[in-house]
Amino acid sequence: MTDIEKGLTEAQAEELAAQGKVNGSAEIKTKSVGQIIKENTLTFFNFLNIVLAVLVLIFGEIKNAMFIGVIFCNTGIGIFQEIRAKRTIDRLTLISAPKAHVIRDGTEKEILNSRIVEGDLVVFRSGMQASADCEVVTGECEVNESLITGESDPIYKKPGDKILSGSFIVSGESRAVAVGLGADSFANKITSGAKYVKKTDSKMMRAINTILKGISICIIPIMLLLIYDGVFVSGQTVNRAMVSTVAAVIGMIPEGLVLLTSIVLAVSAIRLAQNRTLVQDMYCIETLARVDVLCLDKTGTITEGSMQVVETKNFDCTDAELDAAMTALMTALSDTNPTFCAVKEHWGGSSDWTAGEIMPFSSARKWSGASFEGKGTYIMGAGEFILGSDYAGIKQKVEEFSAGGRRVIILAHSPESFTEKAVPAGTKPLAMIAITDKIRAEAPDTLRYFAEQGVDIKIISGDNPVTVSCVSQKAGVKNAEKYIDASSVDNIGELVDEYTVFGRVTPPQKLELVKALKAKGHTVGMTGDGVNDVLALKEADCSVAMQSGSEAARNVSNLVLLDSNFASMPKVVAEGRRSINNVERSASLFLSKTTYSLLLAILFVIIQLPFLFEPIQMTLINALCIGVPSFLLALQPNKELIRGSFISNVIRKAIPNGVSAVISLSAGIICANIYGFTTEELSTVSMFILAGVSFVIVLLACDPMKPWKIGMVAVLIGAFVCGYLFFGDFFGTVEMTREMTMVTIIVTACGAALTAVLNFVTVKIANNITEKRKAKAR
């Protein structure tokens, strides 16, 4: 049993620590760096490319293995991102106060939070944070539990009450016995629920991985067929058959697509950082752009977390007397609760009244006041506690005045002084003062933006539902009048569609609401700033924390608004749209190459001809017709709405491009046979035809056309021509004859026209299908 005067002895504390009854830290292990490196390195995708590179090095030249560089970049970025996530989780902590004050051997001592033992007598004063669950034994205090429970009003704590870990002392002083330590404390129970590495949920990356898996399945049998055809049917040497097979296969692999996606998202993260938004998970930029339900906490998101005086109404005084009395009270008193701060901001001047006896605010009394020489006593606080039975005479007026979720305090006066710290006799009400939460200036415009984008808003708060509903209506939240008190509901998840505002919500209920929304197929975004938001933030598809909030909320969130400005959200959405739409555009270039490489491989197996290209030739076409333009196009502005699925949009563009390229090359082969081109001449002509059609595909991807895009394509064509003229031998080409030039120009021109026509027809068909689906849905 703890001595409430002297606390534990040092010997007792050491014995309890040895028994493990010490606060310590409740760490949860995550994957090691070695495991992360292993999982990102030992993949089928990497294995396949390494095998291809080894084959080239064994049977061909080093220059044909240049494609392997992209694989190292992809793997490095993946490892970096996961290690970054691991470190964020490892340093997750809810308790920011590093030290605590305890009584041991009758003396107050300052010790590390981790050294608090069970039964320690902890001292709490204004401004301190509890690092363990404690039970008050002496004194009284007001505690701010907003980061724990979401309740913004200070909570009065008296002997027998618990002070939860993670809460702050607002006023007063008390001593409390530590009863919940380490993993058993309230804060660390929430921490343990949030300490896991959440799997990245990126539809874009999921689609790209699906494409890569599909391609991987096709590659092995096609490789075997090409090798068999080259060696046993076409009579090539083993070296030539292996190199041409690798050339065909690397053309099928969109190895730069993953790298491009990572670069685009990294650039987005840099842009957002310049706008005071920290991106802790690159893929959340995409996710937020897809969010269709956004869950908001009232405090710190819609409101500033502080209060303001909005209206006054006099009973029996003039405005001048009201102002003079309130200014005098603000000068005399030094309370720190939110209500007092709001009143002091409104009446914060100086007064020449001389204060005698002062009664600071007490949660037990629910009022504060002061006696002034020659002026009598002025008191402000809750009317029923100040006026007692006389409150019935003004109760109806107070209730009417409090409409809209406003908090009402009463200013009263008595000519007498305080008697034994009680309200003096003859106290009469002078005025009513209405106080409400400060709505962020930018909140209405931001909420309107999301409403226009079709994003449904849900307000989830630990505060009174009536108050939250009223504040939400003022801020412009649609259907904010539909509210419910979550404390009266057993299964809150069943009500997500019926209500917009949820008040008195506990941390587990917030988590339940997010899970229920996700179960209904929604992409859920969540904003928050408190410990009570941590579980829901971690569960949401995209979580956003305010810099001014708790460290725990910041650590588990995908995005942190460094200026705690809710108005930054539209910028993040716009950046996500730019990333998704532009990567989708660039992906169509990569998949066009995959499509024609796959079809060409099948074609050459069927016609029993050796594959026309060397790996280095495909590397040149990939770099100038796909790599460089896809990167530049992916960084351009793009605020279009995200429409349709990533895979269907990409394939719809890639298939006509790939088909037109194969038809063009087939025409080139036919012409080559007519003119009797050698294998080297046919390879050179084919490289020019494929490059020409690919540049047309790039031009089509540049829609809407801009001067810089035309200039880009012109420069790339010039680079290709220079590569042929000055490094022809390196790229395995021969000098162009008049016949070769004629065939190249005619076939490329026809291929360009065919590509444009196929794209136009595909778009028309896709639009007709979309319109029919919309009509059927209506």
Side-chain angles (χ1 to χ4, degrees):
M1 189 72 178
T2 304
D3 187 322
I4 62 173
E5 294 294 331
K6 297 183 178 181
L8 300 176
T9 63
E10 284 293 346
Q12 288 175 320
E14 290 177 8
E15 183 180 348
L16 288 165
Q19 295 173 8
K21 297 179 180 180
V22 63
N23 205 22
S25 59
E27 295 185 357
I28 294 179
K29 291 188 178 294
T30 54
K31 285 190 292 186
S32 67
V33 173
Q35 287 175 310
I36 292 172
I37 294 174
K38 179 181 177 181
E39 290 177 7
N40 281 273
T41 303
L42 303 181
T43 65
F44 177 75
F45 181 66
N46 286 353
F47 173 75
L48 180 61
N49 279 277
I50 291 173
V51 168
L52 294 176
V54 170
L55 288 175
V56 169
L57 293 173
I58 292 174
F59 296 102
E61 301 178 46
I62 294 177
K63 66 180 183 180
N64 285 317
M66 292 175 64
F67 62 89
I68 201 66
V70 177
I71 308 308
F72 290 124
C73 291
N74 287 340
T75 303
I77 289 174
I79 291 171
F80 172 79
Q81 285 299 317
E82 195 163 347
I83 289 177
R84 185 182 179 190
K86 165 192 164 56
R87 287 178 176 172
T88 298
I89 297 301
D90 286 346
R91 68 170 179 264
L92 177 62
T93 176
L94 297 181
I95 310 304
S96 57
K99 294 182 180 179
H101 291 254
V102 299
I103 303 296
R104 288 185 182 173
D105 293 320
T107 304
E108 182 174 331
K109 298 180 179 180
E110 187 178 72
I111 64 172
L112 293 174
N113 282 333
S114 59
R115 301 309 302 165
I116 296 175
V117 298
E118 185 179 294
D120 250 330
L121 188 61
V122 185
V123 178
F124 289 116
R125 298 188 184 93
S126 179
M128 291 183 173
Q129 184 184 23
S131 55
D133 294 345
C134 301
E135 184 175 317
V136 179
V137 291
T138 63
E140 61 179 39
C141 60
E142 281 190 308
V143 177
N144 184 334
E145 295 182 346
S146 61
L147 294 182
I148 302 293
T149 65
E151 173 61 68
S152 60
D153 291 335
I155 309 298
Y156 171 64
K157 300 290 183 179
K158 61 184 186 301
D161 293 338
K162 268 194 177 182
I163 297 177
L164 299 175
S165 55
S167 56
F168 287 89
I169 311 304
V170 175
S171 62
E173 181 176 338
S174 65
R175 294 184 178 184
V177 176
V179 292
L181 305 172
D184 293 327
S185 71
F186 183 85
N188 280 325
K189 284 178 181 177
I190 297 180
T191 308
S192 62
K195 275 197 169 185
Y196 61 92
V197 178
K198 183 169 64 177
K199 187 177 180 181
T200 299
D201 184 23
S202 167
K203 290 185 179 180
M204 186 166 62
M205 284 307 302
R206 199 160 60 235
I208 290 172
N209 288 332
T210 300
I211 292 170
L212 292 176
K213 287 178 183 177
I215 293 168
S216 300
I217 293 171
C218 300
I219 282 177
I220 301 300
I222 289 176
M223 276 185 65
L224 296 175
L225 284 173
L226 284 171
I227 294 171
Y228 176 82
D229 178 71
V231 176
F232 298 104
V233 178
S234 301
Q236 301 176 56
T237 64
V238 174
N239 287 15
R240 172 62 185 171
M242 286 296 183
V243 172
S244 62
T245 297
V246 171
V249 172
I250 65 171
M252 299 177 202
I253 304 173
E255 70 279 348
L257 183 54
V258 177
L259 176 60
L260 174 73
T261 304
S262 299
I263 291 174
V264 169
L265 292 175
V267 170
S268 291
I270 294 170
R271 286 178 172 175
L272 290 172
Q274 293 170 346
N275 285 294
R276 304 288 294 160
T277 300
L278 173 64
V279 178
Q280 302 197 120
D281 171 19
M282 289 197 302
Y283 297 108
C284 72
I285 300 172
E286 172 208 349
T287 308
L288 185 59
R290 297 183 185 275
V291 162
D292 58 359
V293 176
L294 186 60
C295 299
L296 306 176
D297 187 15
K298 174 180 72 70
T299 306
T301 303
I302 297 178
T303 65
E304 295 182 1
S306 58
M307 308 193 80
Q308 62 183 346
V309 174
V310 291
E311 188 180 358
T312 61
K313 190 170 183 178
N314 301 339
F315 288 120
D316 188 21
C317 71
T318 63
D319 289 340
E321 183 180 354
L322 171 64
D323 291 341
M326 292 303 297
T327 302
L329 279 174
M330 293 305 100
T331 304
L333 298 171
S334 57
D335 297 328
T336 57
N337 60 69
T339 301
F340 181 85
C341 292
V343 174
K344 187 166 186 176
E345 183 181 353
H346 193 78
W347 287 286
S350 60
S351 174
D352 57 2
W353 291 15
T354 302
E357 188 176 4
I358 296 172
M359 295 294 291
F361 180 82
S362 164
S363 294
R365 290 192 300 265
K366 300 292 184 185
W367 57 265
S368 60
S371 295
F372 299 94
E373 293 181 7
K375 304 290 183 179
T377 300
Y378 286 90
I379 303 169
M380 68 173 189
E384 56 268 41
F385 286 83
I386 296 173
L387 302 174
S389 60
D390 292 339
Y391 178 68
I394 64 169
K395 182 178 179 181
Q396 184 175 349
K397 292 180 180 180
V398 173
E399 290 178 349
E400 291 173 356
F401 196 57
S402 66
R406 303 192 302 188
R407 182 179 301 173
V408 176
I409 61 174
I410 299 296
L411 173 66
H413 174 263
S414 172
E416 307 294 330
S417 297
F418 295 110
T419 304
E420 296 182 356
K421 296 186 178 182
V423 175
T427 299
K428 302 293 182 183
L430 293 182
M432 295 184 292
I433 302 169
I435 300 173
T436 187
D437 290 283
K438 276 187 182 178
I439 295 175
R440 287 181 174 270
E442 67 277 3
D445 288 339
T446 307
L447 290 168
R448 190 179 307 112
Y449 168 83
F450 282 110
E452 291 170 352
Q453 303 303 313
V455 178
D456 192 18
I457 300 294
K458 301 288 183 184
I459 308 298
I460 305 175
S461 175
D463 278 349
N464 185 295
V466 177
T467 301
V468 178
S469 174
C470 293
V471 170
S472 301
Q473 290 180 60
K474 290 177 183 177
V477 177
K478 187 179 179 181
N479 298 322
E481 69 280 0
K482 297 179 179 179
Y483 65 86
I484 188 171
D485 187 335
S487 63
S488 63
V489 180
D490 291 329
N491 192 346
I492 193 73
E494 295 178 351
L495 305 174
V496 290
D497 292 330
E498 187 175 349
Y499 296 96
T500 298
V501 173
F502 299 84
R504 302 293 187 202
V505 184
T506 63
Q509 284 180 316
K510 287 191 177 187
L511 175 63
E512 187 181 348
L513 281 167
V514 172
K515 285 184 174 180
L517 288 166
K518 290 176 67 175
K520 291 179 178 293
H522 294 293
T523 302
V524 182
M526 172 83 188
T527 70
D529 59 359
V531 173
N532 61 310
D533 299 316
V534 166
L535 296 176
L537 285 169
K538 191 72 177 184
E539 180 64 25
D541 295 300
C542 182
S543 50
V544 183
M546 304 294 171
Q547 175 67 15
S548 58
S550 69
E551 182 183 354
R554 295 195 301 271
N555 279 338
V556 302
S557 293
N558 305 121
L559 290 164
V560 179
L561 304 183
L562 298 178
D563 55 2
S564 300
N565 191 344
F566 184 47
S568 300
M569 295 281 282
K571 295 177 185 176
V572 184
V573 173
E575 196 60 49
R577 287 179 179 170
R578 185 194 65 78
S579 300
I580 297 171
N581 288 325
N582 287 344
V583 169
E584 187 177 285
R585 184 199 303 265
S586 299
S588 67
L589 297 179
F590 283 98
L591 268 295
S592 297
K593 179 197 73 168
T594 298
T595 302
Y596 65 64
S597 296
L598 184 62
L599 294 176
L600 281 176
I602 296 172
L603 174 66
F604 283 109
V605 169
I606 293 173
I607 63 177
Q608 298 183 357
L609 282 177
F611 195 75
L612 297 175
F613 304 103
E614 293 184 20
I616 191 61
Q617 293 174 335
M618 295 302 294
T619 299
L620 177 64
I621 294 173
N622 291 347
L624 298 180
C625 301
I626 298 170
V628 174
S630 64
F631 176 77
L632 295 176
L633 291 174
L635 298 180
Q636 66 177 319
N638 193 326
K639 296 182 180 180
E640 296 179 12
L641 291 172
I642 300 170
R643 297 183 175 89
S645 109
F646 186 90
I647 290 182
S648 61
N649 289 342
V650 170
I651 291 178
R652 189 184 69 214
K653 297 173 183 177
I655 289 180
N657 292 339
V659 169
S660 64
V662 171
I663 292 175
S664 300
L665 284 171
S666 299
I669 292 171
I670 293 171
C671 293
N673 286 332
I674 293 173
Y675 286 100
F677 292 166
T678 64
T679 300
E680 290 77 13
E681 290 173 336
L682 176 56
S683 177
T684 301
V685 168
S686 297
M687 189 181 81
F688 269 93
I689 292 173
L690 184 57
V693 174
S694 297
F695 282 126
V696 173
I697 293 171
V698 172
L699 276 171
L700 292 173
C702 287
D703 184 54
M705 198 62 66
K706 301 285 183 181
W708 73 267
K709 296 178 182 177
I710 297 173
M712 174 191 71
V713 175
V715 169
L716 292 174
I717 292 173
F720 180 83
V721 173
C722 289
Y724 165 73
L725 293 175
F726 299 108
F727 305 98
D729 291 339
F730 181 78
F731 290 110
T733 60
V734 297
E735 186 177 349
M736 294 282 284
T737 64
R738 186 180 65 178
E739 290 81 7
M740 290 168 64
T741 304
M742 180 181 67
V743 169
T744 299
I745 293 173
I746 294 174
V747 173
T748 301
C750 293
L754 178 62
T755 303
V757 170
L758 287 178
N759 272 273
F760 177 79
V761 172
T762 303
V763 170
K764 283 291 183 182
I765 293 172
N767 289 341
N768 288 336
I769 292 173
T770 301
E771 290 300 322
K772 287 180 180 178
R773 286 177 178 172
K774 287 182 178 178
K776 187 176 181 181
R778 289 194 294 266

